[in-house]
């Protein structure tokens, strides 16, 4: 039964990340997820110091708030003329450093496990259960990550047209009267919530792999956005299943093997994708050369 819960949590994380990750890849801002995963640390520490508990919902709220602050600062710097990659680097390194300083100054005598917050351990999720009215509801991570996935899929389904147009042509979206900045911050809010929700499962660092790799794999396999999202989720689920059993066989990190499995699927797509694959392009050039 523990195997089922671990795979389920991994699949939910992958699906939740895939829904928003596809838009990050299309917008060419995939590393925003990495920035958020680092820069939320001050929010986690401050919420922990205020509440005194690692289990408090305030931890998630504090981290989510810092995620939104991160996005706001990145956008502010970009609008002020700073290049996008530089703005991301400045913001996430600065905020992450502030978080590290807070940890070193105020949590030395407190039971605060920084490694757990940043790296997580999906193998422990079956034992971190949720109890409601005396009833065992199963692993807490299933409800938290599942709730994140539900929010992502509902909002993307309802506003799919707006997200799509804003991602491909922001100028056209503005001309059509679509509030571009509103949907930009809405997407970034979903990325922030998704990243925070993964703290107790795959961790804030490894979630970056699930945000980017399955979406990048799907990008190589299709040119249609709705199919890209579906393929990305399928790749994420397969990565979770394959990664878990590989980790079991090797007695290795489960989360690490899941991300490595996702990377393997990306490599296969990079080589053999019918339209974008390296080998496929070489084969088409050879066929074209022979036909001349």
């Amino acid at each position: 039964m523990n195997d089922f819960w671990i795979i389920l949590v991994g699949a939910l994380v992958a699906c939740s990340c895939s829904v928003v990750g596809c838009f990050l890849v299309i917008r060419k801002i995939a590393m925003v997820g990495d920035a958020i995963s680092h820069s939320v640390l001050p929010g986690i520490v401050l919420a922990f110091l205020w509440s005194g508990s690692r289990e408090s919902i305030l931890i998630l709220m504090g981290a989510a708030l810092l995620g939104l602050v991160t996005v706001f600062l990145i956008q502010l710097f970009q609008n002020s003329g700073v290049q996008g990659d530089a703005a991301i680097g400045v913001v996430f390194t600065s905020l992450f450093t502030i978080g590290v300083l807070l940890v070193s100054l105020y949590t030395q005598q407190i039971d605060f496990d920084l490694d757990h917050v940043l790296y997580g351990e999906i193998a422990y999720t079956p034992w971190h259960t949720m109890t409601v009215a005396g009833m065992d509801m199963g692993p807490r991570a299933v409800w938290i990550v599942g709730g994140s996935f539900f929010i992502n899929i509902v909002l993307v389904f309802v506003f799919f047209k707006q997200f799509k147009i804003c991602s491909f042509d922001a100028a056209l979206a503005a001309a059509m009267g679509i509030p571009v900045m509103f949907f930009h911050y809405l997407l970034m809010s979903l990325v922030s919530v998704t990243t925070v929700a993964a703290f107790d499962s795959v961790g804030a660092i490894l979630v970056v792999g699930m945000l980017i790799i399955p979406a990048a794999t799907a990008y190589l396999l299709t040119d249609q956005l709705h199919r890209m999202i579906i393929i990305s989720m399928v790749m994420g689920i397969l990565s979770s299943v394959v990664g878990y059993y590989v980790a079991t066989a090797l007695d290795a990190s489960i989360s690490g093997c899941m991300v490595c499995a996702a990377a393997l699927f990306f490599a296969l797509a990079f080589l053999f994708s019918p339209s974008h694959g390296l080998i496929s392009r070489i084969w088409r050039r050879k066929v074209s050369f022979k036909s001349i």
Side-chain angles (χ1 to χ4, degrees), residues 41-96:
L41 181 57
I44 296 173
V45 178
L46 291 174
F48 173 77
L49 293 175
W50 191 65
S51 65
S53 172
R54 289 176 299 180
E55 305 297 330
S56 174
I57 191 65
L58 291 175
I59 295 289
L60 297 178
M61 294 175 61
L65 178 60
L66 259 294
L68 294 180
V69 171
T70 300
V71 173
F72 173 78
L73 290 176
I74 291 173
Q75 190 66 37
L76 177 64
F77 292 156
Q78 287 179 334
N79 292 341
S80 301
V82 181
Q83 292 185 348
D85 55 347
I88 291 173
V90 168
V91 171
F92 97 73
T93 54
S94 300
L95 291 178
F96 182 69

Side-chain angles (χ1 to χ4, degrees), residues 176-240:
M176 295 174 62
I178 298 175
V180 177
M181 292 308 300
F182 170 78
F183 283 101
H184 172 73
Y185 281 110
L186 178 58
L187 176 63
M188 293 301 102
S189 299
L190 295 180
V191 174
S192 179
V193 170
T194 300
T195 302
V196 172
F199 283 160
D200 287 337
S201 49
V202 301
I205 303 300
L206 292 178
V207 73
V208 178
M210 288 301 184
L211 271 173
I212 300 172
I213 300 176
T217 303
Y219 183 82
L220 295 174
L221 297 175
T222 183
D223 295 324
Q224 296 185 346
L225 181 57
H226 68 280
R227 290 183 180 178
M228 180 180 172
I229 295 174
I230 295 173
I231 293 174
S232 178
M233 288 193 292
V234 171
M235 290 294 104
I237 294 172
L238 288 175
S239 299
S240 300

Side-chain angles (χ1 to χ4, degrees), residues 100-202:
V100 172
L101 289 175
L102 289 173
V103 171
S104 64
L105 289 173
Y106 299 110
T107 66
Q108 292 181 353
Q109 307 301 322
I110 303 176
D111 180 21
F112 184 78
D113 188 354
L114 182 59
D115 286 339
H116 172 75
V117 172
L118 288 179
Y119 299 101
E121 181 47 75
I122 195 171
Y124 298 152
T125 54
W127 290 277
H128 295 167
T129 59
M130 176 184 292
T131 303
V132 177
M135 182 180 298
D136 186 358
M137 304 298 293
R140 188 166 60 97
V142 171
W143 293 96
I144 294 176
V145 179
S148 171
F149 173 57
F150 178 78
I151 293 172
N152 289 351
I153 203 71
V154 168
L155 289 179
V156 168
F157 178 80
V158 172
F159 299 111
F160 182 77
K161 176 183 177 181
Q162 290 84 347
F163 279 126
K164 181 178 180 179
I165 297 175
C166 291
S167 298
F168 284 104
D169 194 335
L172 175 61
M176 295 174 62
I178 298 175
V180 177
M181 292 308 300
F182 170 78
F183 283 101
H184 172 73
Y185 281 110
L186 178 58
L187 176 63
M188 293 301 102
S189 299
L190 295 180
V191 174
S192 179
V193 170
T194 300
T195 302
V196 172
F199 283 160
D200 287 337
S201 49
V202 301

